[in-house]
Amino acid sequence: MNVLVYSGEGTSRASLAHTVRTLRSLVGHHYDVMKIDAKGLTTEPWEESTSLLVIPGGRDIPYTRDLNGAANDKIRAYVAAGGRFWGICAGAYFSSDRIVFEVGTPLEVQGTRELKFFAGECRGVVYPGFVYDSEQGANAVGIRLVEEQFGGDKLGFGETRVYFNGGGYFVGAEKQPGCSVLAWYSDAESSEGRKAAMIACQVGQGMALLTGVHPEYDPAHLDAGNPEYGPLPNVVSQLLETDQQRLLLVRSLLKKLGLKLSQPEVPQAAAAQDAAPVALPPGAILGIPDLTPLYLASVEPAYTTLLVHSLRSIATPEGLIKEPNDTFQLIASPQHTIPVHTSTLSETAEGESEEKVIKNLIICHNGGPPASTTPQFAMNDYFQHLKKIRPPTQNFTFGNSLLYGEVVSSTQTMLDKNFSLCQHLPTGFVCNATIQTAGRGRGRNSWISPPGCLQFSMVLRHPFQARHASAVFVQYLVALAVVESVCSLPGYEELPLKLKWPNDIYAEAPLEEGEEPAPEGTAPRMVKVGGVLVNSNFSGSEFLLVAGCGINTTNPNPTTSINHLIRYHNKKTGKNLALFTQETLLAHILVKLEQMYNTFLLGNGTGFAQLEQTYYKRWLHTNAFVTLTTMTPHRRVRIQGITLDYGLLKTVGVDEQGRDIDGDEFRLQPDGNSFDMLKGLISTKS
């Protein structure tokens, strides 16, 4: 399921960045936190896969211009049907029945609004001094919580401070049916009495949370030295003092919205008003772990020696490899001192703040480090299993060298966005991690990184001249290798792992305790357990591919995992099939992938045709009927398969009785299209 954050015109880049970062840190193990623009809200079928829609701070007028009409109709219907919504500052003004903003000033805005989640007026600003695109009006404002509105959460405080810049209050909210005041501004009253800072509104079967303040703002990402905040102690230092309370508050708000939370609760003792403030390093993101060192090792020492020689050719005399996206510090061995680097903040092309720190790359010349050094992934266990399962009659390269980090930004980004580094890595080189703080998926997706998810990226050099073996099939091969690496093992053949076009891995969801099986003739419930992403660059006479994969291995959440499927299968059948470790599963996937890739590239010259039947055996779509929303009017079609030249999805139009229409054929590219199985829709991928 997704958490969508509106990113269209008018959104404040700062509010957008804080919103995305805070949500990913608190719910990112259960939900894919993604941005969506006005076109996406208007045209995409986002509703059924969305657990929360957020409209962050910014400017109300552009929101009305771009979202009035069809988009607002969809948003309101989504919430009324049981959806969840969070409007922050400008998003709260926009979501009320009426906005009254800075009356009598050049910034004045008044008028009715379409969403009307709050059936009254949002009036502001509460505290004077607001200036667009500035921190001059920023403040650390006090809010008093209505503690009974937070259910069983014992927050340990009744008042705290949060970031404020231009927000309003909800006039007469306490008198509105279906509206609950969650917090009041502490020291702001009007002739009407207290001013509501945060409210929750029942909208049909759903809920809208509206906040005039910015609880999503992480003060560790505000520049205390900005003169607009004033001399120390200033807005930022005041917010840092109560930041543990802010986190508890945001967690409680998200719980109230029905979301599952990723990180453990902040200790209540640390949230008490008289507790010492937590010292946060510059740029630290509370709730997201710090990056850890990277360890480089190989199945044989000679491979490491050759690789290090290649890497040193692009390093400075101090051992720094400076790349466009990352800088790596080569460390000669685990016994050498590991330097501590100061992090810095930079802005991405999307306008988000991103933490940058030099990554320590520790060279292990004789196998991996001790398991106690990398307890979440024992590199030597992986190498031993790799050698054990490789057939002795074949030569293998995939996975010979491995770069592992317990916490990394993104394995895919480290390889794909650092081109010179990638050029100096051998084909089959693998980078894997236990936790990714910014994993990447197709389109705007980010891969959820729950503990127990195997996530890796691999370098692959694919010859440009291999016309019989188009590089587009590599994504199919990786997904197929994941399924076959498990289901081709003796005893594991009946595990319900399947392929969803173009590059997702699904499984039949195990029944929960007391849950009834699907009625006969009804398809079982399928859930996503993994996905594949392939990025390509052109280098000389070959494609330089980075194939990334994430597969739920040992974790039952957020959907299910391979080991959960095995346990369920053992319980149903009485078998005692062994569970996978991340080390053994990675080895099996890489061996199976290399075997398939060699067949595809070097077999009888027919490319993917040699694996076509194996692929169809595992995929979900044989003769499935779907609707193409990529054309106007929409077309009902039957899926026939994929083309063997460029891997396009083959479909044929059908009439009202489901009969094929001769000559009415359509071909769809895997890149640029998205398949929503729940609705049977194929739409444009944003």
Side-chain angles (χ1 to χ4, degrees), residues 292-310:
T292 59
L294 303 167
Y295 291 89
L296 175 64
S298 301
V299 70
E300 299 292 345
Y303 298 143
T304 302
T305 301
L306 288 172
L307 179 53
V308 171
H309 182 268
S310 179

Side-chain angles (χ1 to χ4, degrees), residues 634-645:
H634 298 171
R635 298 298 302 272
R636 186 75 170 161
V637 300
R638 180 177 63 84
I639 295 177
Q640 297 176 304
I642 57 175
T643 67
L644 294 176
D645 48 4

Side-chain angles (χ1 to χ4, degrees), residues 228-243:
E228 292 182 343
Y229 291 131
L232 292 171
N234 61 13
V235 171
V236 179
S237 60
Q238 292 174 23
L239 292 172
L240 284 170
E241 290 175 1
T242 57
D243 196 49

Side-chain angles (χ1 to χ4, degrees), residues 311-489:
L311 293 178
R312 291 200 183 281
S313 70
I314 57 172
T316 67
E318 297 77 24
L320 289 173
I321 299 176
K322 298 180 179 180
E323 286 286 86
N325 196 77
D326 295 293
T327 298
F328 301 87
Q329 173 73 65
L330 297 180
I331 311 294
S333 76
Q335 289 71 44
H336 281 68
T337 301
I338 301 175
V340 177
H341 304 286
T342 302
S343 62
T344 59
L345 289 179
S346 62
E347 189 173 277
T348 67
E350 293 80 17
E352 288 190 38
S353 296
E354 184 177 41
E355 189 175 16
K356 290 291 188 181
V357 64
I358 295 174
K359 295 174 168 61
N360 290 318
L361 196 161
I362 301 170
I363 301 164
C364 304
H365 290 277
N366 296 301
S372 58
T373 303
T374 58
Q376 303 300 321
F377 189 90
M379 297 176 74
N380 288 326
D381 288 356
Y382 156 76
F383 289 131
Q384 290 171 11
H385 198 73
L386 191 68
K387 290 190 284 188
K388 177 182 176 181
I389 65 174
R390 282 174 166 175
T393 57
Q394 302 174 33
N395 293 322
F396 288 87
T397 60
F398 288 11
N400 277 350
S401 294
L402 184 73
L403 182 67
Y404 168 74
E406 183 174 333
V407 182
V408 306
S409 52
S410 163
T411 61
Q412 193 75 4
T413 297
M414 281 198 296
L415 300 182
D416 177 53
K417 297 298 184 182
N418 297 308
F419 185 59
S420 179
L421 171 70
C422 197
Q423 285 181 304
H424 285 77
L425 299 175
T427 196
F429 179 89
V430 171
C431 177
N432 74 309
T434 297
I435 297 173
Q436 292 188 103
T437 62
R440 289 170 58 200
R442 289 180 73 228
R444 64 166 184 264
N445 293 345
S446 60
W447 172 252
I448 304 171
S449 176
C453 172
L454 172 65
Q455 41 216 336
F456 68 93
S457 299
M458 188 187 80
V459 176
L460 180 63
R461 288 177 166 78
H462 186 78
F464 178 71
Q465 297 300 327
R467 303 300 175 130
H468 67 287
S470 171
V472 75
F473 284 100
V474 171
Q475 62 186 321
Y476 298 154
L477 292 174
V478 176
L480 181 59
V482 171
V483 175
E484 286 294 303
S485 67
V486 176
C487 296
S488 64
L489 294 175

Side-chain angles (χ1 to χ4, degrees), residues 419 423 462-465 536-545:
F419 185 59
Q423 285 181 304
H462 186 78
F464 178 71
Q465 297 300 327
S536 63
N537 288 292
F538 194 66
S539 178
S541 61
E542 60 190 11
F543 291 108
L544 185 59
L545 306 178

Side-chain angles (χ1 to χ4, degrees), residues 17 25 54 66 77 79 110 171 247 252 268 356 360-361 366 446 449 478 483 515 614 656 682:
S25 72
V54 183
D66 293 345
V79 178
Q110 292 196 66
V171 179
L247 281 169
S252 293
Q268 291 174 11
K356 290 291 188 181
N360 290 318
L361 196 161
N366 296 301
S446 60
S449 176
V478 176
V483 175
E515 184 180 357
T614 303
E656 293 181 357
I682 295 179

